[in-house]
């Protein structure tokens, strides 16, 4: 695995001797379900502000990221119907998005890849995602997209832990 979380967990592993096994999931919802079932001990990328989980605990914030709206460079909003792709994590922005884009249709996607595919294929006009996800995608495969709007909202990402997790593990994760 590559990326910020993989690097962070590798650092924690190097410093503490803990070993982490990654479990690939199709969506944050699937990861949440695995956590609630006790099939995994922790999940990453959990924004506690969304209140999606009742868990044994959460780590301290390991990443704060601005949430941005992205669309095709050629997109011009002139009122009327617009489709905005979001994930479960960003549903709390619905009211704000509807104030800016009255009558917008909100399309719920499972993961970052689905968000970008929805805009690329025309199923959605825009997407909402954190700046770090956006930067890597705009620099690569989706260079025809651009930032349209800064929501002025921050997502605060934590690790969420399953019931029965040793509190010392949470404390250890928080040290790094």
């Amino acid at each position: 695995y590559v990326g910020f979380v993989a690097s962070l967990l590798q650092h924690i592993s190097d410093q503490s001797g803990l070993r982490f096994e990654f479990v690939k999931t199709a969506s944050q919802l699937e990861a949440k379900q695995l956590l609630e079932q006790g099939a995994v001990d922790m999940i990453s990328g959990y924004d506690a502000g969304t209140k999606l989980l009742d868990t044994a605990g959460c780590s301290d914030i390991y990443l704060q990221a601005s949430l941005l709206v992205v669309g095709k460079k050629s997109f011009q909003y002139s009122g009327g119907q617009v489709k905005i792709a979001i994930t479960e994590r960003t549903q709390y922005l619905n009211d704000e998005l509807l104030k800016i884009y009255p009558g917008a249709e909100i399309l719920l996607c499972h993961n970052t890849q689905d968000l970008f595919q929805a805009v690329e294929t025309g199923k959605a006009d825009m997407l909402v995602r954190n700046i770090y996800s956006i930067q890597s995608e705009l620099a690569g495969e989706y260079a025809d997209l651009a930032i349209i709007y800064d929501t002025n909202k921050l997502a605060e990402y934590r690790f969420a832990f399953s019931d029965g997790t040793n509190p010392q593990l949470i404390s250890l994760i928080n040290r790094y």
Side-chain angles (χ1 to χ4, degrees), residues 15-83:
Q15 297 298 311
S16 69
L18 284 173
R19 297 290 172 239
F20 299 95
E21 178 183 340
F22 291 88
V23 176
K24 186 172 178 69
T25 59
S27 67
Q28 190 71 11
L29 178 61
E30 181 185 355
K32 178 183 105 169
Q33 290 168 340
L34 291 173
L35 184 73
E36 289 172 338
Q37 295 165 1
V40 297
D41 299 311
M42 68 185 220
I43 60 172
S44 66
Y46 176 65
D47 184 356
T50 62
K51 301 186 184 355
L52 294 175
L53 289 173
D54 293 322
T55 66
C58 290
S59 69
D60 292 341
I61 297 165
Y62 65 79
L63 176 68
Q64 288 185 320
S66 298
L67 293 170
L68 304 172
V69 177
V70 170
K72 289 192 176 184
K73 290 178 180 176
S74 60
F75 177 75
Q76 296 291 322
Y77 179 71
S78 56
Q81 188 65 22
V82 65
K83 295 177 185 171

Side-chain angles (χ1 to χ4, degrees), residues 5-141:
V5 171
S7 296
L8 175 62
L9 291 176
Q10 184 61 55
H11 172 76
I12 292 170
S13 182
D14 292 345
Q15 297 298 311
S16 69
L18 284 173
R19 297 290 172 239
F20 299 95
E21 178 183 340
F22 291 88
V23 176
K24 186 172 178 69
T25 59
S27 67
Q28 190 71 11
L29 178 61
E30 181 185 355
K32 178 183 105 169
Q33 290 168 340
L34 291 173
L35 184 73
E36 289 172 338
Q37 295 165 1
V40 297
D41 299 311
M42 68 185 220
I43 60 172
S44 66
Y46 176 65
D47 184 356
T50 62
K51 301 186 184 355
L52 294 175
L53 289 173
D54 293 322
T55 66
C58 290
S59 69
D60 292 341
I61 297 165
Y62 65 79
L63 176 68
Q64 288 185 320
S66 298
L67 293 170
L68 304 172
V69 177
V70 170
K72 289 192 176 184
K73 290 178 180 176
S74 60
F75 177 75
Q76 296 291 322
Y77 179 71
S78 56
Q81 188 65 22
V82 65
K83 295 177 185 171
I84 305 172
I86 62 168
T87 62
E88 184 178 56
R89 289 184 195 167
T90 53
Q91 281 184 302
Y92 65 93
L93 291 173
N94 285 4
D95 290 342
E96 180 176 338
L97 292 169
L98 291 172
K99 285 178 190 171
I100 298 164
Y101 305 104
E105 180 182 334
I106 305 295
L107 173 66
L108 189 60
C109 294
H110 295 294
N111 54 46
T112 301
Q113 183 179 5
D114 289 350
L115 289 172
F116 280 91
Q117 284 295 315
V119 173
E120 190 69 20
T121 62
K123 290 180 184 175
D125 301 301
M126 299 179 276
L127 64 88
V128 177
R129 197 69 183 120
N130 76 60
I131 190 168
Y132 300 109
S133 295
I134 289 170
Q135 284 177 329
S136 62
E137 297 294 342
L138 295 184
E141 185 178 350

Side-chain angles (χ1 to χ4, degrees), residues 159-170:
F159 293 104
F161 299 89
S162 64
D163 287 334
T165 297
N166 185 330
Q168 291 177 335
L169 174 61
I170 300 171

